Amino acid sequence: KIFVGNLSYFCGRDELERFFSPCGEIENIHVCKSNSGDTMHFAFVTFVNTADAEKAISSLNNSLFMGRNIWYGP
């Protein structure tokens, strides 16, 4: 499971799945939202394999995604 920060307010599960799926099989994506339903600029992406999560962190960290530089962590 990796933490993904600095997401756009308009980012949803489908966009994250398209972005991360080239790194490997995704088990779950949880986009954190406020009580009013707005995206809170972060999400958790869980990969089936640890190696795929590590690949995502090393290859996509600080990438431009939906107009913002996003960053990751374990």
Side-chain angles (χ1 to χ4, degrees):
K1 179 190 284 193
I2 60 173
F3 171 86
V4 184
N6 199 34
L7 294 175
S8 164
Y9 277 119
F10 307 106
C11 180
R13 186 188 187 292
D14 292 342
E15 290 83 7
L16 285 168
E17 186 168 12
R18 280 192 295 275
F19 186 73
F20 281 103
S21 62
C23 293
E25 186 178 353
I26 297 170
E27 183 177 314
N28 185 41
I29 297 174
H30 177 72
V31 179
C32 298
K33 298 188 178 211
S34 68
N35 290 338
S36 63
D38 296 327
T39 300
M40 295 178 64
H41 297 291
F42 68 95
F44 294 94
V45 178
T46 305
F47 286 88
V48 172
N49 298 309
T50 304
D52 293 338
E54 291 170 355
K55 177 181 175 184
I57 291 170
S58 65
S59 64
L60 299 175
N61 194 28
N62 207 33
S63 295
L64 188 63
F65 176 64
M66 296 184 72
R68 298 178 75 127
N69 286 328
I70 56 175
W71 48 273
Y72 316 110

